[in-house]
C-alpha cells in the first residue's frame, strides 16, 4: 500500500525530544508532502466547504424523507410503544411508574406528548390498539425520534470528516445508517433507541473535536468540547440503561490519553498531568453525573401522584406520593387487632381452613397431617394477630405454628414455643410502630429461625390449588415479605374511619429516592432473563440471522418486521473482517521489523472507530461498525489520508501535510454502493413501513434467510 519512502524512520535510543506537549507523534510525523492541487479533479471538487455542505444537506434531507414517510402508519400501538407511550402518559398525568431505563428519553416523549396536546388518558395497553379512535396525537410523539434519527446522519458524516476522512468516505458511512431499514423502523416509532443513538453519536463527535484541540489545552474552545462531551454522554446514559457503555468507551479513550500525557518521555511535569486529570474528571465525571442526577430530579418532581410503580418502591418512598394507599390507610397496630396479612410479591392472603395436609405427598414425603395453611388470592378468612408472639386463626381458633416438616396450626397449647414468631420490620428501627399497608415485615419463627414464605407454584387439589405457605431457611429472604392489608376490627377506642382520613405526603430526600431507584433498576434489569420468541444473541446481530416482529394486521396482511439492510450489514461485516486482517498482518510485519503501514495511517485506523466496538447493543453497534467501515474503505481506495487533522497550537512544530485522494474510483464505488443499498432498502420497505400488505408469495420473496419469522408466508409446496 505504501512506498518505501513512506516507511517511518525509527529514532535511535537517546535521541532528543522536545519537552513541549505540542509535539505528538500521533499526528505530526514525517510524511510525503503532497500539494492539495495535485489531487484528482473529483477529490478537489468534493473537498470544498460548499460541496461538503451540499452533500450533507442532501443526505440529511433524504434522512428526514425516509423517516417521516407515512409516519402516521400504522395508526395503532406498535411493539414497545406499549411501554414507552404509556410512560409518556404517566408523565402527563403525573402518576408514578417504574422502569429499568433512566428517564431522560421518556421525559422527552412526555414533553412531546404534552406539546402536541396529548391528555395522557390513553393507556397504550395492547399492541394494535387504535390511536385514531382514541384521538391520540401519536404522529407528533413519533416525530421526536424521527427528528433525532434524521439528525444522526449529519452527525455521522461530520464525525468522519473531523477524523480526517474525505467527503466521499464520510458520505459512505452516513449512507450505511441512512438507508438502513432497522434504523428507519426504530426512528419512526415511540421507542428509546433513536434518542440513545443520536446522543451517542454526538458524544463521539464532541470527544473527537476535543481531542483535535489538544494543542490548545485549557482554551475556551477546548473546555467547551470537553463539557459538551460530558453533557451528551449523560444524555446517552440517561436515555437507556445500555447507554452506560458509551461512558465506558469514552472512559477508555480518556485513560489512554492520560497515560500518554503521563509518559516521562513527553517531558511533562506531574503538575501538568494532574491539571489534565482534574479537567477531565470535572468535564467527564462531575458534569455528566450532575446532568444524570438532574434527569431523576425532574422525574421525581413531575411524578408526585400514586401510580402503577408504587408497589416497586419501599413503604417510606410510597408515602411521599399523593393518594398512595399506604399513605391514606396506614394505621398503627395494637395487641389483639384482627388483621389480614398479604404477601408483598404474590399478593395472596395468609389463609387457613379446617382441611388437613395428606399423610403422604406425591413425592413420597410424610407430612404431620396438620391443618392446612395456604396463600389464598381471594379475600378469605382473617387472622388474629397477637403482636409478635402468636397468630390466631379466627375461624378455626388454631395458632400458627411451624416445625421441621411444614407450616401448620396447632389446636392446643402443648407446643407453645413453636407458635412464637419474631416480627422483623423491613428497614425498621428500635421503637418503630407496626402499621398496616406500609409496615412491610418478615415473620421469623423463633425456635427454627425460618421466615414465613410463599411462592407462586400452586398446591394440588387437596389444598384447593392455593399457594403453599412454608418456612424459608434464609430468614432475611426478600421474597418472604408480608404486610397487613386491613385492620378488620380493633379493641381500641379509636375510630377506624377517623384513622383512614387522607394524610399529607411525607418528605424523603432526593438522594435517598435516587439510590433506592437505581438499585431497583439494576436488580430488575438483571432479572430480565425470561425467554422471548424473537430474542437473539449478539453473535447473530451482524449477520441478520433473525429480526423482531413489531406489528401485524391480519385483514390486510400488513406487518412491521425489524430487520437491517442486508447490503449495508454485509458490507460492514466484510470491511470489519478486512480491518482485522490488515491490523493482524501489520502486527506480524512489525514483529519482523517491517513497517508496512506508515505510523500516522496506522494510528488513523486504530483511532477511527475501533474503540466504539465496546458498544455491544444492537443499533449502536451498527453505527460504530459504519464508522469503522468508512475508515477501512478509505484505506483501501487511497494510499494517502488527510493529515494532520488536529488544530495546530502556537508552538506546534508543523510537519509536511498530505491529502486523501480517492480519484474517480471513490465516487464510483460509493455511488454504486449507495444505489444498491437503496434498492435493498426499497425491497425490504414493506416490512419496515408496514405497508403495503403482501400476499404469501410476496412475503416469501422478502425472506432472505429462512430464520426470518415473517407472518402471512405461503406454505411451500
Amino acid at each position: 500500500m505504501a512506498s518505501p519512502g513512506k516507511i517511518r524512520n525509527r529514532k535511535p535510543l537517546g535521541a532528543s525530544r522536545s519537552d513541549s506537549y505540542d509535539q505528538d507523534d500521533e499526528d505530526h510525523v514525517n510524511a510525503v508532502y503532497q500539494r492539495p492541487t495535485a489531487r484528482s479533479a473529483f477529490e478537489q471538487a468534493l473537498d470544498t466547504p460548499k460541496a461538503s455542505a451540499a452533500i450533507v444537506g442532501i443526505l440529511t434531507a433524504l434522512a428526514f424523507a425516509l423517516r417521516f414517510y407515512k409516519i402516521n402508519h400504522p395508526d395503532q400501538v406498535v411493539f414497545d410503544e406499549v411501554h414507552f407511550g404509556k410512560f409518556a402518559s404517566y408523565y402527563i398525568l403525573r402518576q408514578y411508574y417504574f422502569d429499568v431505563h433512566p428517564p431522560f428519553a421518556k421525559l422527552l416523549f412526555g414533553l412531546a406528548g404534552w406539546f402536541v396536546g396529548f391528555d395522557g388518558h390513553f393507556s397504550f395497553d395492547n399492541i394494535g390498539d387504535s390511536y385514531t379512535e382514541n384521538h391520540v396525537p401519536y404522529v407528533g410523539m413519533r416525530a421526536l425520534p424521527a427528528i433525532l434519527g434524521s439528525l444522526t446522519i449529519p452527525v455521522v458524516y461530520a464525525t468522519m470528516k473531523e477524523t480526517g476522512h474525505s467527503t466521499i468516505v464520510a458520505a459512505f458511512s452516513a449512507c450505511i445508517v441512512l438507508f438502513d431499514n432497522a434504523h428507519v423502523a426504530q426512528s419512526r416509532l415511540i421507542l428509546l433507541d433513536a434518542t440513545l443513538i443520536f446522543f451517542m453519536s454526538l458524544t463521539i463527535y464532541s470527544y473527537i473535536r476535543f481531542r483535535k484541540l489538544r494543542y490548545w489545552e485549557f482554551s475556551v474552545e477546548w473546555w467547551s468540547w470537553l463539557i459538551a462531551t460530558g453533557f451528551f454522554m449523560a444524555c446517552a446514559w440517561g436515555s437507556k440503561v445500555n447507554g452506560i457503555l458509551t461512558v465506558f468507551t469514552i472512559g477508555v479513550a480518556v485513560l489512554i490519553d492520560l497515560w500518554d500525557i503521563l509518559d516521562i518521555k513527553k517531558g511533562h511535569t506531574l503538575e501538568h498531568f494532574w491539571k489534565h486529570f482534574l479537567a477531565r474528571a470535572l468535564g467527564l465525571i462531575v458534569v455528566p453525573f450532575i446532568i444524570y442526577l438532574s434527569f431523576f430530579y425532574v422525574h421525581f418532581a413531575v411524578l408526585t401522584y400514586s401510580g402503577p410503580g408504587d408497589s416497586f418502591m419501599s413503604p417510606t418512598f410510597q408515602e411521599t406520593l399523593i393518594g398512595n394507599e399506604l399513605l391514606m390507610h396506614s394505621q398503627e397496630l395494637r395487641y389483639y387487632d384482627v388483621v389480614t396479612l398479604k404477601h408483598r410479591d404474590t399478593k395472596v392472603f395468609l389463609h387457613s381452613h379446617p382441611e388437613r395436609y395428606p399423610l403422604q405427598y406425591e413425592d413420597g414425603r410424610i407430612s404431620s397431617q396438620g391443618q392446612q395453611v395456604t396463600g389464598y388470592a381471594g379475600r378469605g378468612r382473617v387472622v388474629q394477630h397477637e403482636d409478635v408472639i402468636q397468630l390466631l386463626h379466627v375461624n378455626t381458633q388454631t395458632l400458627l405454628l411451624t416445625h421441621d416438616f411444614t407450616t401448620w396450626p396447632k389446636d392446643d397449647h402443648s407446643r407453645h414455643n413453636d407458635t412464637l414468631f419474631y416480627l422483623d420490620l423491613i428497614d425498621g428501627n428500635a421503637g418503630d410502630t407496626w402499621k398496616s399497608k406500609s409496615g412491610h415485615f418478615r415473620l421469623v419463627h423463633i425456635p427454627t429461625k425460618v421466615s414465613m414464605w410463599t411462592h407462586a407454584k400452586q398446591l394440588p387439589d387437596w389444598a384447593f390449588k392455593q399457594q403453599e405457605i412454608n418456612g424459608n431457611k434464609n430468614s432475611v429472604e426478600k421474597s418472604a415479605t408480608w404486610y397487613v392489608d386491613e385492620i378488620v376490627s380493633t379493641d381500641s377506642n379509636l375510630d377506624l374511619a377517623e384513622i383512614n382520613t387522607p394524610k399529607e405526603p411525607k418528605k424523603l430526600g432526593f438522594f435517598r429516592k435516587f439510590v433506592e431507584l437505581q438499585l431497583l433498576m439494576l436488580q430488575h434489569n438483571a432479572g430480565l432473563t425470561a425467554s422471548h420468541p424473537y430474542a437473539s444473541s449478539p453473535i447473530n446481530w451482524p449477520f441478520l440471522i433473525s429480526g423482531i416482529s413489531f406489528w401485524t394486521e391480519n385483514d390486510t396482511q400488513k406487518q412491521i418486521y425489524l430487520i437491517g439492510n442486508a447490503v449495508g450489514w454485509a458490507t460492514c461485516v466484510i470491511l470489519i473482517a478486512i480491518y482485522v486482517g490488515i491490523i493482524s498482518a501489520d502486527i506480524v510485519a512489525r514483529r519482523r521489523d517491517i513497517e508496512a503501514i506508515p505510523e500516522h495511517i496506522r494510528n488513523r485506523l486504530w483511532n477511527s472507530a475501533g474503540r466504539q466496538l465496546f458498544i455491544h447493543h444492537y443499533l449502536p453497534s451498527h453505527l460504530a461498525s459504519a464508522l469503522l467501515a468508512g475508515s477501512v474503505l478509505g484505506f483501501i481506495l487511497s494510499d494517502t489520508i488527510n493529515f494532520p487533522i488536529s488544530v495546530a497550537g502556537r508552538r506546534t512544530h508543523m510537519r509536511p501535510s498530505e491529502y486523501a485522494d480517492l480519484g474517480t474510483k471513490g465516487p464510483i464505488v460509493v455511488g454504486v454502493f449507495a444505489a444498491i443499498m437503496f434498492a435493498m432498502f426499497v425491497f425490504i420497505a414493506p416490512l419496515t413501513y408496514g405497508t403495503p400488505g403482501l400476499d404469501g408469495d410476496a412475503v416469501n420473496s422478502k425472506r432472505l434467510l429462512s430464520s426470518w419469522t415473517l407472518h402471512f408466508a405461503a406454505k411451500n409446496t
Side-chain angles (χ1 to χ4, degrees):
M1 294 296 294
S3 63
K6 291 184 181 180
I7 295 179
R8 176 170 64 88
N9 295 321
R10 297 177 183 267
K11 292 184 178 182
L13 292 174
S16 62
R17 300 180 66 97
S18 169
D19 61 356
S20 170
Y21 177 61
D22 295 328
Q23 288 237 29
D24 192 329
D25 286 340
E26 181 181 320
D27 264 2
H28 296 281
V29 298
N30 290 317
V32 175
Y33 174 72
Q34 177 187 357
R35 291 180 293 111
T37 56
R39 294 176 294 171
S40 66
F42 270 113
E43 195 68 43
Q44 292 185 58
L46 293 173
D47 196 41
T48 63
K50 288 185 178 180
S52 181
I55 289 176
V56 73
I58 292 171
L59 294 174
T60 305
L62 284 172
F64 274 91
L66 294 178
R67 283 149 181 81
F68 275 89
Y69 175 70
K70 293 190 175 181
I71 197 171
N72 62 325
H73 179 81
D75 65 341
Q76 299 174 10
V77 177
V78 176
F79 195 58
D80 275 351
E81 289 186 332
V82 165
H83 302 297
F84 304 121
K86 191 192 304 288
F87 296 152
S89 70
Y90 290 148
Y91 280 119
I92 294 171
L93 297 175
R94 306 192 67 179
Q95 296 176 350
Y96 188 81
Y97 74 90
F98 172 78
D99 183 42
V100 297
H101 296 293
F104 176 58
K106 294 170 289 185
L107 279 167
L108 292 180
F109 278 124
L111 181 63
W114 172 82
F115 184 77
V116 297
F118 179 42
D119 61 11
H121 292 292
F122 180 72
S123 57
F124 297 85
D125 286 331
N126 303 295
I127 296 175
D129 287 351
S130 174
Y131 288 131
T132 304
E133 293 176 3
N134 291 279
H135 310 290
V136 180
Y138 67 101
V139 172
M141 298 175 70
R142 287 179 177 175
L144 173 64
I147 292 171
L148 297 180
S150 301
L151 292 177
T152 301
I153 306 306
V155 176
V156 170
Y157 177 90
T159 299
M160 295 301 290
K161 288 289 288 183
E162 290 295 333
T163 51
H165 293 93
S166 66
T167 299
I168 199 67
V169 168
F172 170 79
S173 291
C175 283
I176 291 177
V177 182
L178 168 64
F179 296 125
D180 185 70
N181 297 75
H183 278 277
V184 171
Q186 288 279 25
S187 299
R188 301 177 67 257
L189 302 170
I190 307 173
L191 304 174
L192 305 183
D193 299 83
T195 308
L196 167 64
I197 293 170
F198 174 68
F199 285 107
M200 185 196 84
S201 62
L202 277 178
T203 303
I204 299 169
Y205 174 79
S206 299
Y207 185 74
I208 290 171
R209 293 296 302 268
F210 163 72
R211 279 285 293 156
K212 288 179 65 175
L213 289 163
R214 60 188 179 278
Y215 304 129
W216 287 88
E217 53 193 355
F218 306 113
S219 65
V220 173
E221 191 174 2
W222 183 89
W223 275 109
S224 298
W225 285 112
L226 175 63
I227 299 299
T229 302
F231 175 81
F232 293 132
M233 185 168 65
C235 291
W237 182 16
S239 295
K240 204 170 182 182
V241 68
N242 53 313
I244 189 66
L245 297 176
T246 303
V247 179
F248 292 155
T249 301
I250 296 299
V252 170
V254 169
L255 290 176
I256 293 172
D257 185 25
L258 289 173
W259 185 254
D260 185 60
I261 297 173
L262 187 61
D263 188 356
I264 194 171
K265 296 178 182 179
K266 297 288 185 180
H268 309 313
T269 65
L270 278 177
E271 181 183 1
H272 181 84
F273 167 80
W274 284 115
K275 285 174 64 178
H276 276 274
F277 178 87
L278 292 174
R280 286 161 175 77
L282 174 63
L284 301 177
I285 297 178
V286 176
V287 169
F289 188 63
I290 291 174
I291 299 298
Y292 185 73
L293 285 176
S294 71
F295 300 148
F296 286 90
Y297 186 86
V298 175
H299 176 77
F300 294 139
V302 173
L303 303 179
T304 57
Y305 286 83
S306 177
D310 292 15
S311 60
F312 291 93
M313 314 309 295
S314 68
T316 305
F317 189 109
Q318 292 185 49
E319 288 183 304
T320 67
L321 301 171
I322 300 172
N324 180 265
E325 185 180 22
L326 272 61
L327 175 69
M328 296 176 66
H329 304 301
S330 178
Q331 306 165 33
E332 293 182 354
L333 293 174
R334 291 166 174 78
Y335 287 96
Y336 305 106
D337 284 349
V338 177
V339 299
T340 58
L341 299 185
K342 200 170 189 179
H343 188 242
R344 186 190 62 179
D345 293 345
T346 62
K347 305 304 181 186
V348 297
F349 291 92
L350 183 65
H351 172 77
S352 186
H353 41 241
E355 282 74 13
R356 301 274 173 166
Y357 287 101
L359 178 61
Q360 185 174 10
Y361 298 122
E362 288 84 350
D363 59 5
R365 290 182 298 128
I366 303 299
S367 84
S368 60
Q369 281 197 298
Q371 183 174 315
Q372 294 178 15
V373 176
T374 60
Y376 182 53
R379 296 187 61 84
R381 303 169 181 86
V382 297
V383 179
Q384 174 104 21
H385 175 57
E386 235 180 8
D387 197 41
V388 299
I389 308 299
Q390 295 171 316
L391 292 178
L392 178 70
H393 187 241
V394 173
N395 286 10
T396 61
Q397 289 297 297
T398 52
L399 295 173
L400 184 69
L401 173 148
T402 191
H403 59 170
D404 291 339
F405 292 100
T406 186
T407 301
W408 63 295
K410 183 74 174 175
D411 55 5
D412 58 52
H413 301 281
S414 60
R415 298 174 62 184
H416 176 75
N417 288 342
D418 286 342
T419 65
L420 302 181
F421 291 85
Y422 166 68
L423 178 68
D424 181 18
L425 289 176
I426 306 301
D427 298 325
N429 297 307
D432 287 354
T433 57
W434 188 20
K435 296 182 179 181
S436 63
K437 303 293 186 182
S438 63
H440 291 188
F441 68 94
R442 285 185 287 265
L443 198 63
V444 182
H445 188 236
I446 292 177
T448 62
K449 306 302 182 186
V450 299
S451 290
M452 186 171 69
W453 178 69
T454 187
H455 51 85
K457 186 177 179 180
Q458 294 177 331
L459 290 168
D461 290 338
W462 49 259
F464 311 105
K465 293 192 179 297
Q466 296 171 6
Q467 287 182 202
E468 179 184 22
I469 301 296
N470 213 320
N472 194 305
K473 292 183 179 180
N474 180 9
S475 62
V476 293
E477 167 62 40
K478 290 184 178 180
S479 62
T481 302
W482 300 77
Y483 63 90
V484 174
D485 182 64
E486 181 183 4
I487 298 179
V488 178
S489 64
T490 178
D491 287 349
S492 68
N493 295 322
L494 295 176
D495 184 359
L496 289 178
E498 181 179 338
I499 295 175
N500 287 332
T501 303
K503 309 174 184 69
E504 287 294 321
K506 296 182 179 180
K507 303 295 182 182
L508 187 65
F510 166 74
F511 284 101
R512 285 191 61 184
K513 287 184 175 181
F514 174 78
V515 171
E516 179 178 336
L517 182 54
Q518 292 298 301
L519 292 175
L520 283 171
M521 288 166 57
L522 292 172
Q523 292 170 4
H524 283 266
N525 190 62
L528 295 176
T529 57
S531 61
H532 190 281
Y534 294 104
S536 59
S537 60
I539 193 63
N540 294 327
W541 297 344
F543 307 102
L544 293 178
I545 300 301
S546 63
I548 305 173
S549 178
F550 270 16
W551 170 83
T552 60
E553 188 175 68
N554 294 331
D555 294 340
T556 59
Q557 294 198 170
K558 294 178 179 180
Q559 63 180 307
I560 295 178
Y561 189 77
L562 181 72
I563 200 70
N565 188 308
V567 172
W569 288 63
T571 300
C572 288
V573 170
I574 292 170
L575 290 178
I576 289 174
I578 293 173
Y579 170 81
V580 173
I582 292 171
I583 296 301
S584 300
D586 181 60
I587 291 174
V588 173
R590 281 191 291 153
R591 192 68 175 168
R592 302 301 302 167
D593 202 28
I594 300 172
E595 296 289 333
I597 303 175
E599 182 73 9
H600 60 293
I601 294 180
R602 179 184 302 115
N603 286 334
R604 186 66 49 79
L605 278 172
W606 277 107
N607 296 334
S608 291
R611 292 178 186 139
Q612 289 311 308
L613 295 179
F614 282 96
I615 303 174
H616 298 297
H617 203 268
Y618 202 66
L619 295 180
S621 296
H622 179 256
L623 184 141
S625 68
L627 297 174
L628 181 57
S631 180
V632 175
L633 180 69
F635 178 82
I636 294 172
L637 295 181
S638 176
D639 288 336
T640 57
I641 60 175
N642 291 323
F643 172 85
I645 59 171
S646 293
V647 179
R650 299 183 188 89
R651 298 175 293 151
T652 304
H653 293 246
M654 293 297 296
R655 302 294 185 182
S657 302
E658 66 175 77
Y659 301 90
D661 186 2
L662 278 66
T664 57
K665 60 181 178 292
I668 292 174
V669 168
V670 175
V672 171
F673 168 80
I676 296 174
M677 192 169 180
F678 179 71
M680 178 57 70
F681 175 85
V682 173
F683 178 73
I684 303 178
L687 305 179
T688 303
Y689 294 104
T691 186
L694 304 174
D695 60 28
D697 292 332
V699 170
N700 285 340
S701 71
K702 306 296 181 186
R703 180 187 282 141
L704 301 182
L705 294 177
S706 60
S707 54
W708 292 11
T709 52
L710 301 179
H711 294 270
F712 315 122
K715 294 183 179 180
N716 294 323
T717 58

